[in-house]
Short mmCIF file of all heavy atoms in Angstrom, two decimals:
data_model
loop_
_atom_site.label_atom_id
_atom_site.label_comp_id
_atom_site.label_asym_id
_atom_site.label_seq_id
_atom_site.Cartn_x
_atom_site.Cartn_y
_atom_site.Cartn_z
N GLY H 218 -20.89 43.32 -23.51
CA GLY H 218 -21.65 43.66 -22.31
C GLY H 218 -22.77 44.65 -22.56
O GLY H 218 -23.36 45.19 -21.62
N GLY H 219 -23.07 44.97 -23.81
CA GLY H 219 -24.09 45.98 -24.15
C GLY H 219 -23.45 47.27 -24.59
O GLY H 219 -22.41 47.67 -24.07
N GLY H 220 -24.06 47.91 -25.58
CA GLY H 220 -23.47 49.12 -26.15
C GLY H 220 -22.73 48.79 -27.44
O GLY H 220 -22.77 47.65 -27.91
N GLY H 221 -22.06 49.77 -28.02
CA GLY H 221 -21.37 49.55 -29.28
C GLY H 221 -20.12 50.38 -29.38
O GLY H 221 -19.96 51.38 -28.69
N LEU H 222 -19.22 49.92 -30.25
CA LEU H 222 -17.93 50.58 -30.43
C LEU H 222 -17.72 50.78 -31.93
O LEU H 222 -17.89 49.84 -32.71
CB LEU H 222 -16.84 49.68 -29.84
CG LEU H 222 -15.49 50.29 -29.57
CD1 LEU H 222 -15.58 51.50 -28.65
CD2 LEU H 222 -14.59 49.22 -28.92
N ILE H 223 -17.37 52.00 -32.32
CA ILE H 223 -17.17 52.31 -33.74
C ILE H 223 -15.69 52.53 -34.02
O ILE H 223 -15.07 53.41 -33.42
CB ILE H 223 -17.97 53.58 -34.14
CG1 ILE H 223 -19.46 53.38 -33.86
CG2 ILE H 223 -17.72 53.93 -35.61
CD1 ILE H 223 -20.28 54.66 -33.99
N ASP H 224 -15.14 51.72 -34.90
CA ASP H 224 -13.73 51.88 -35.30
C ASP H 224 -13.71 52.78 -36.54
O ASP H 224 -14.61 52.71 -37.37
CB ASP H 224 -13.13 50.51 -35.66
CG ASP H 224 -11.60 50.54 -35.73
OD1 ASP H 224 -10.99 51.55 -35.32
OD2 ASP H 224 -11.02 49.54 -36.21
N SER H 225 -12.70 53.64 -36.63
CA SER H 225 -12.64 54.57 -37.77
C SER H 225 -11.21 54.64 -38.29
O SER H 225 -10.26 54.30 -37.57
CB SER H 225 -13.13 55.95 -37.35
OG SER H 225 -12.23 56.58 -36.46
N PRO H 226 -11.04 55.04 -39.54
CA PRO H 226 -9.69 55.15 -40.10
C PRO H 226 -8.94 56.32 -39.45
O PRO H 226 -9.54 57.32 -39.07
CB PRO H 226 -9.93 55.46 -41.58
CG PRO H 226 -11.38 55.30 -41.83
CD PRO H 226 -12.08 55.42 -40.52
N GLY H 227 -7.61 56.19 -39.34
CA GLY H 227 -6.81 57.28 -38.78
C GLY H 227 -6.88 58.51 -39.66
O GLY H 227 -7.15 58.43 -40.84
N PHE H 228 -6.65 59.69 -39.06
CA PHE H 228 -6.68 60.93 -39.85
C PHE H 228 -5.36 61.66 -39.69
O PHE H 228 -4.62 61.47 -38.74
CB PHE H 228 -7.84 61.83 -39.39
CG PHE H 228 -7.81 62.14 -37.92
CD1 PHE H 228 -6.96 63.13 -37.43
CD2 PHE H 228 -8.59 61.44 -37.04
CE1 PHE H 228 -6.93 63.39 -36.07
CE2 PHE H 228 -8.56 61.69 -35.68
CZ PHE H 228 -7.72 62.68 -35.20
N GLN H 229 -5.06 62.50 -40.68
CA GLN H 229 -3.83 63.30 -40.65
C GLN H 229 -4.12 64.78 -40.67
O GLN H 229 -3.23 65.60 -40.58
CB GLN H 229 -2.97 62.95 -41.87
CG GLN H 229 -2.27 61.62 -41.68
CD GLN H 229 -1.90 60.97 -42.99
OE1 GLN H 229 -2.61 61.09 -43.98
NE2 GLN H 229 -0.78 60.29 -43.00
N ALA H 230 -5.40 65.12 -40.86
CA ALA H 230 -5.80 66.53 -40.86
C ALA H 230 -7.13 66.59 -40.13
O ALA H 230 -7.85 65.59 -40.09
CB ALA H 230 -5.97 67.02 -42.29
N PHE H 231 -7.43 67.74 -39.52
CA PHE H 231 -8.71 67.86 -38.83
C PHE H 231 -9.20 69.30 -38.94
O PHE H 231 -9.03 70.10 -38.07
CB PHE H 231 -8.58 67.44 -37.36
CG PHE H 231 -9.85 66.89 -36.80
CD1 PHE H 231 -9.96 65.55 -36.49
CD2 PHE H 231 -10.97 67.69 -36.61
CE1 PHE H 231 -11.14 65.02 -35.99
CE2 PHE H 231 -12.14 67.18 -36.13
CZ PHE H 231 -12.24 65.83 -35.81
N GLY H 232 -9.83 69.56 -40.11
CA GLY H 232 -10.40 70.89 -40.33
C GLY H 232 -11.71 71.05 -39.57
O GLY H 232 -12.40 70.08 -39.29
N LEU H 233 -12.01 72.29 -39.23
CA LEU H 233 -13.22 72.58 -38.45
C LEU H 233 -14.03 73.67 -39.13
O LEU H 233 -14.57 74.57 -38.50
CB LEU H 233 -12.82 73.01 -37.03
CG LEU H 233 -12.13 71.92 -36.21
CD1 LEU H 233 -11.41 72.50 -35.01
CD2 LEU H 233 -13.15 70.87 -35.75
N GLN H 234 -14.11 73.53 -40.48
CA GLN H 234 -14.79 74.55 -41.27
C GLN H 234 -16.27 74.68 -40.91
O GLN H 234 -16.89 75.70 -41.20
CB GLN H 234 -14.69 74.20 -42.77
CG GLN H 234 -13.28 74.13 -43.30
CD GLN H 234 -12.64 75.50 -43.43
OE1 GLN H 234 -13.34 76.49 -43.58
NE2 GLN H 234 -11.34 75.56 -43.36
N HIS H 235 -16.85 73.64 -40.33
CA HIS H 235 -18.28 73.69 -40.03
C HIS H 235 -18.58 74.48 -38.76
O HIS H 235 -19.73 74.70 -38.43
CB HIS H 235 -18.86 72.28 -39.94
CG HIS H 235 -18.20 71.41 -38.90
ND1 HIS H 235 -16.91 70.93 -39.02
CD2 HIS H 235 -18.66 70.93 -37.72
CE1 HIS H 235 -16.62 70.19 -37.97
NE2 HIS H 235 -17.65 70.17 -37.17
N LEU H 236 -17.55 74.88 -38.04
CA LEU H 236 -17.78 75.59 -36.79
C LEU H 236 -17.70 77.11 -36.98
O LEU H 236 -16.87 77.61 -37.74
CB LEU H 236 -16.76 75.15 -35.74
CG LEU H 236 -16.81 73.67 -35.35
CD1 LEU H 236 -15.79 73.39 -34.24
CD2 LEU H 236 -18.20 73.24 -34.89
N THR H 237 -18.55 77.82 -36.27
CA THR H 237 -18.51 79.29 -36.29
C THR H 237 -17.43 79.76 -35.32
O THR H 237 -16.94 78.98 -34.48
CB THR H 237 -19.85 79.88 -35.81
OG1 THR H 237 -20.02 79.50 -34.43
CG2 THR H 237 -21.02 79.35 -36.63
N ALA H 238 -17.08 81.04 -35.42
CA ALA H 238 -16.09 81.61 -34.51
C ALA H 238 -16.53 81.40 -33.06
O ALA H 238 -15.72 81.10 -32.17
CB ALA H 238 -15.89 83.09 -34.81
N HIS H 239 -17.83 81.51 -32.83
CA HIS H 239 -18.36 81.31 -31.48
C HIS H 239 -18.16 79.86 -31.02
O HIS H 239 -17.74 79.61 -29.89
CB HIS H 239 -19.84 81.68 -31.44
CG HIS H 239 -20.48 81.47 -30.11
ND1 HIS H 239 -20.24 82.30 -29.03
CD2 HIS H 239 -21.32 80.50 -29.66
CE1 HIS H 239 -20.91 81.84 -27.98
NE2 HIS H 239 -21.58 80.76 -28.34
N ASP H 240 -18.44 78.90 -31.93
CA ASP H 240 -18.24 77.48 -31.58
C ASP H 240 -16.77 77.23 -31.21
O ASP H 240 -16.47 76.48 -30.27
CB ASP H 240 -18.54 76.57 -32.78
CG ASP H 240 -20.01 76.57 -33.18
OD1 ASP H 240 -20.86 76.80 -32.30
OD2 ASP H 240 -20.29 76.34 -34.37
N ILE H 241 -15.88 77.81 -31.99
CA ILE H 241 -14.46 77.57 -31.78
C ILE H 241 -14.03 78.10 -30.40
O ILE H 241 -13.37 77.42 -29.64
CB ILE H 241 -13.62 78.22 -32.91
CG1 ILE H 241 -13.95 77.53 -34.24
CG2 ILE H 241 -12.13 78.12 -32.63
CD1 ILE H 241 -13.47 78.27 -35.46
N GLU H 242 -14.51 79.31 -30.10
CA GLU H 242 -14.25 79.90 -28.79
C GLU H 242 -14.74 78.98 -27.66
O GLU H 242 -14.03 78.77 -26.67
CB GLU H 242 -15.00 81.24 -28.78
CG GLU H 242 -14.78 82.13 -27.63
CD GLU H 242 -15.68 83.35 -27.78
OE1 GLU H 242 -15.36 84.23 -28.61
OE2 GLU H 242 -16.70 83.42 -27.07
N GLN H 243 -15.92 78.39 -27.87
CA GLN H 243 -16.49 77.48 -26.87
C GLN H 243 -15.68 76.20 -26.71
O GLN H 243 -15.77 75.51 -25.71
CB GLN H 243 -17.92 77.08 -27.25
CG GLN H 243 -18.88 78.22 -27.42
CD GLN H 243 -19.40 78.71 -26.09
OE1 GLN H 243 -19.98 77.93 -25.35
NE2 GLN H 243 -19.15 79.96 -25.76
N GLY H 244 -14.92 75.87 -27.74
CA GLY H 244 -14.08 74.68 -27.70
C GLY H 244 -12.83 74.86 -26.85
O GLY H 244 -12.08 73.90 -26.66
N PHE H 245 -12.62 76.05 -26.36
CA PHE H 245 -11.47 76.34 -25.48
C PHE H 245 -12.01 76.72 -24.09
O PHE H 245 -12.22 77.89 -23.81
CB PHE H 245 -10.61 77.45 -26.09
CG PHE H 245 -9.85 77.00 -27.30
CD1 PHE H 245 -10.47 76.92 -28.53
CD2 PHE H 245 -8.52 76.59 -27.18
CE1 PHE H 245 -9.78 76.45 -29.65
CE2 PHE H 245 -7.83 76.12 -28.29
CZ PHE H 245 -8.46 76.05 -29.53
N PRO H 246 -12.25 75.71 -23.26
CA PRO H 246 -12.91 75.98 -21.97
C PRO H 246 -12.13 76.98 -21.10
O PRO H 246 -12.73 77.68 -20.29
CB PRO H 246 -12.98 74.60 -21.29
CG PRO H 246 -12.31 73.63 -22.19
CD PRO H 246 -11.97 74.29 -23.48
N GLU H 247 -10.81 77.06 -21.30
CA GLU H 247 -10.02 77.99 -20.49
C GLU H 247 -10.30 79.45 -20.84
O GLU H 247 -9.89 80.35 -20.10
CB GLU H 247 -8.53 77.68 -20.61
CG GLU H 247 -7.90 77.93 -21.98
CD GLU H 247 -7.90 76.70 -22.90
OE1 GLU H 247 -9.00 76.17 -23.15
OE2 GLU H 247 -6.82 76.31 -23.37
N PHE H 248 -11.00 79.69 -21.96
CA PHE H 248 -11.32 81.08 -22.33
C PHE H 248 -12.58 81.58 -21.60
O PHE H 248 -12.81 82.76 -21.53
CB PHE H 248 -11.60 81.21 -23.84
CG PHE H 248 -10.39 81.03 -24.74
CD1 PHE H 248 -9.17 80.60 -24.25
CD2 PHE H 248 -10.51 81.31 -26.10
CE1 PHE H 248 -8.06 80.43 -25.11
CE2 PHE H 248 -9.41 81.14 -26.96
CZ PHE H 248 -8.20 80.70 -26.46
N ALA H 249 -13.40 80.64 -21.11
CA ALA H 249 -14.74 81.00 -20.64
C ALA H 249 -14.73 82.12 -19.60
O ALA H 249 -15.45 83.12 -19.76
CB ALA H 249 -15.46 79.77 -20.10
N ALA H 250 -13.92 82.00 -18.55
CA ALA H 250 -13.92 83.03 -17.51
C ALA H 250 -13.24 84.32 -18.01
O ALA H 250 -13.82 85.40 -17.89
CB ALA H 250 -13.26 82.50 -16.24
N PRO H 251 -12.05 84.25 -18.62
CA PRO H 251 -11.40 85.49 -19.08
C PRO H 251 -12.22 86.29 -20.09
O PRO H 251 -12.14 87.52 -20.11
CB PRO H 251 -10.10 84.99 -19.73
CG PRO H 251 -9.83 83.67 -19.10
CD PRO H 251 -11.17 83.10 -18.79
N ILE H 252 -13.04 85.60 -20.90
CA ILE H 252 -13.83 86.30 -21.91
C ILE H 252 -14.77 87.32 -21.29
O ILE H 252 -15.06 88.36 -21.87
CB ILE H 252 -14.61 85.27 -22.76
CG1 ILE H 252 -13.70 84.74 -23.87
CG2 ILE H 252 -15.87 85.85 -23.35
CD1 ILE H 252 -14.30 83.59 -24.66
N THR H 253 -15.21 87.03 -20.07
CA THR H 253 -16.14 87.95 -19.41
C THR H 253 -15.46 89.29 -19.12
O THR H 253 -16.13 90.27 -18.84
CB THR H 253 -16.71 87.35 -18.11
OG1 THR H 253 -15.61 87.11 -17.22
CG2 THR H 253 -17.42 86.02 -18.36
N GLU H 254 -14.13 89.33 -19.20
CA GLU H 254 -13.37 90.57 -18.93
C GLU H 254 -13.10 91.36 -20.21
O GLU H 254 -12.54 92.46 -20.14
CB GLU H 254 -12.02 90.24 -18.28
CG GLU H 254 -12.08 89.28 -17.09
CD GLU H 254 -12.65 89.97 -15.86
OE1 GLU H 254 -12.32 91.15 -15.66
OE2 GLU H 254 -13.45 89.32 -15.14
N CYS H 255 -13.39 90.78 -21.39
CA CYS H 255 -13.05 91.47 -22.64
C CYS H 255 -13.81 92.79 -22.73
O CYS H 255 -15.00 92.85 -22.45
CB CYS H 255 -13.38 90.61 -23.86
SG CYS H 255 -12.36 89.13 -23.99
N ARG H 256 -13.10 93.86 -23.19
CA ARG H 256 -13.72 95.19 -23.27
C ARG H 256 -14.80 95.22 -24.34
O ARG H 256 -15.86 95.80 -24.16
CB ARG H 256 -12.64 96.24 -23.59
CG ARG H 256 -13.16 97.66 -23.53
CD ARG H 256 -12.06 98.66 -23.85
NE ARG H 256 -10.89 98.50 -23.00
CZ ARG H 256 -9.66 98.93 -23.32
NH1 ARG H 256 -9.44 99.55 -24.47
NH2 ARG H 256 -8.65 98.76 -22.49
N PHE H 257 -14.53 94.58 -25.49
CA PHE H 257 -15.48 94.63 -26.61
C PHE H 257 -16.32 93.36 -26.65
O PHE H 257 -15.79 92.26 -26.51
CB PHE H 257 -14.75 94.79 -27.94
CG PHE H 257 -13.87 96.01 -27.97
CD1 PHE H 257 -12.49 95.87 -28.08
CD2 PHE H 257 -14.41 97.28 -27.87
CE1 PHE H 257 -11.67 96.99 -28.09
CE2 PHE H 257 -13.59 98.41 -27.89
CZ PHE H 257 -12.22 98.28 -27.99
N TYR H 258 -17.63 93.53 -26.87
CA TYR H 258 -18.51 92.36 -26.85
C TYR H 258 -18.17 91.42 -28.00
O TYR H 258 -18.39 90.22 -27.94
CB TYR H 258 -19.99 92.79 -26.91
CG TYR H 258 -20.46 93.15 -28.29
CD1 TYR H 258 -21.14 92.24 -29.08
CD2 TYR H 258 -20.20 94.41 -28.82
CE1 TYR H 258 -21.53 92.55 -30.37
CE2 TYR H 258 -20.59 94.74 -30.09
CZ TYR H 258 -21.25 93.80 -30.87
OH TYR H 258 -21.63 94.12 -32.15
N ASN H 259 -17.62 91.99 -29.11
CA ASN H 259 -17.30 91.14 -30.27
C ASN H 259 -15.80 90.86 -30.39
O ASN H 259 -15.28 90.66 -31.48
CB ASN H 259 -17.83 91.78 -31.55
CG ASN H 259 -17.26 93.18 -31.77
OD1 ASN H 259 -16.58 93.70 -30.88
ND2 ASN H 259 -17.52 93.77 -32.92
N CYS H 260 -15.13 90.85 -29.26
CA CYS H 260 -13.68 90.61 -29.21
C CYS H 260 -13.36 89.23 -29.81
O CYS H 260 -14.05 88.24 -29.54
CB CYS H 260 -13.23 90.65 -27.76
SG CYS H 260 -11.45 90.50 -27.54
N THR H 261 -12.34 89.17 -30.65
CA THR H 261 -11.95 87.86 -31.23
C THR H 261 -10.74 87.28 -30.50
O THR H 261 -10.23 86.23 -30.88
CB THR H 261 -11.64 87.97 -32.74
OG1 THR H 261 -10.49 88.80 -32.90
CG2 THR H 261 -12.82 88.55 -33.51
N HIS H 262 -10.25 87.98 -29.49
CA HIS H 262 -9.13 87.51 -28.64
C HIS H 262 -7.86 87.29 -29.45
O HIS H 262 -7.14 86.31 -29.24
CB HIS H 262 -9.52 86.24 -27.87
CG HIS H 262 -10.98 86.18 -27.54
ND1 HIS H 262 -11.60 87.16 -26.81
CD2 HIS H 262 -11.94 85.29 -27.89
CE1 HIS H 262 -12.89 86.87 -26.71
NE2 HIS H 262 -13.12 85.74 -27.36
N ARG H 263 -7.62 88.21 -30.39
CA ARG H 263 -6.39 88.07 -31.17
C ARG H 263 -5.45 89.25 -30.89
O ARG H 263 -4.28 89.06 -30.66
CB ARG H 263 -6.71 88.01 -32.67
CG ARG H 263 -7.21 86.63 -33.03
CD ARG H 263 -7.34 86.48 -34.51
NE ARG H 263 -8.61 87.04 -34.95
CZ ARG H 263 -9.19 86.72 -36.10
NH1 ARG H 263 -8.59 85.92 -36.94
NH2 ARG H 263 -10.35 87.24 -36.42
N HIS H 264 -6.01 90.45 -30.92
CA HIS H 264 -5.14 91.62 -30.79
C HIS H 264 -5.84 92.78 -30.11
O HIS H 264 -5.28 93.82 -29.93
CB HIS H 264 -4.68 92.06 -32.19
CG HIS H 264 -5.81 91.97 -33.19
ND1 HIS H 264 -6.94 92.74 -33.09
CD2 HIS H 264 -6.00 91.15 -34.24
CE1 HIS H 264 -7.78 92.40 -34.06
NE2 HIS H 264 -7.22 91.43 -34.77
N GLU H 265 -7.12 92.59 -29.75
CA GLU H 265 -7.92 93.69 -29.25
C GLU H 265 -7.39 94.22 -27.91
O GLU H 265 -7.00 93.44 -27.05
CB GLU H 265 -9.37 93.25 -29.05
CG GLU H 265 -10.11 92.96 -30.36
CD GLU H 265 -9.95 91.54 -30.85
OE1 GLU H 265 -9.04 90.82 -30.39
OE2 GLU H 265 -10.75 91.13 -31.72
N PRO H 266 -7.41 95.54 -27.74
CA PRO H 266 -7.06 96.09 -26.43
C PRO H 266 -8.12 95.69 -25.39
O PRO H 266 -9.29 95.55 -25.73
CB PRO H 266 -7.05 97.61 -26.64
CG PRO H 266 -7.80 97.84 -27.91
CD PRO H 266 -7.72 96.59 -28.72
N GLY H 267 -7.67 95.46 -24.19
CA GLY H 267 -8.61 95.12 -23.12
C GLY H 267 -9.17 93.71 -23.24
O GLY H 267 -10.22 93.40 -22.68
N CYS H 268 -8.47 92.83 -23.97
CA CYS H 268 -8.95 91.45 -24.13
C CYS H 268 -8.61 90.62 -22.88
O CYS H 268 -7.45 90.55 -22.47
CB CYS H 268 -8.33 90.82 -25.37
SG CYS H 268 -8.67 89.04 -25.49
#
Side-chain angles (χ1 to χ4, degrees):
L222 196 56
I223 301 170
D224 195 11
S225 70
F228 55 80
Q229 284 156 325
F231 209 110
L233 295 163
Q234 300 287 335
H235 58 290
L236 298 183
T237 64
H239 179 73
D240 293 332
I241 295 166
E242 186 183 285
Q243 302 280 302
F245 288 81
E247 67 268 57
F248 291 8
I252 276 173
T253 61
E254 311 287 322
C255 293
R256 187 180 306 158
F257 303 115
Y258 80 97
N259 57 353
C260 185
T261 65
H262 329 302
R263 282 188 277 200
H264 41 63
E265 291 88 343
C268 171

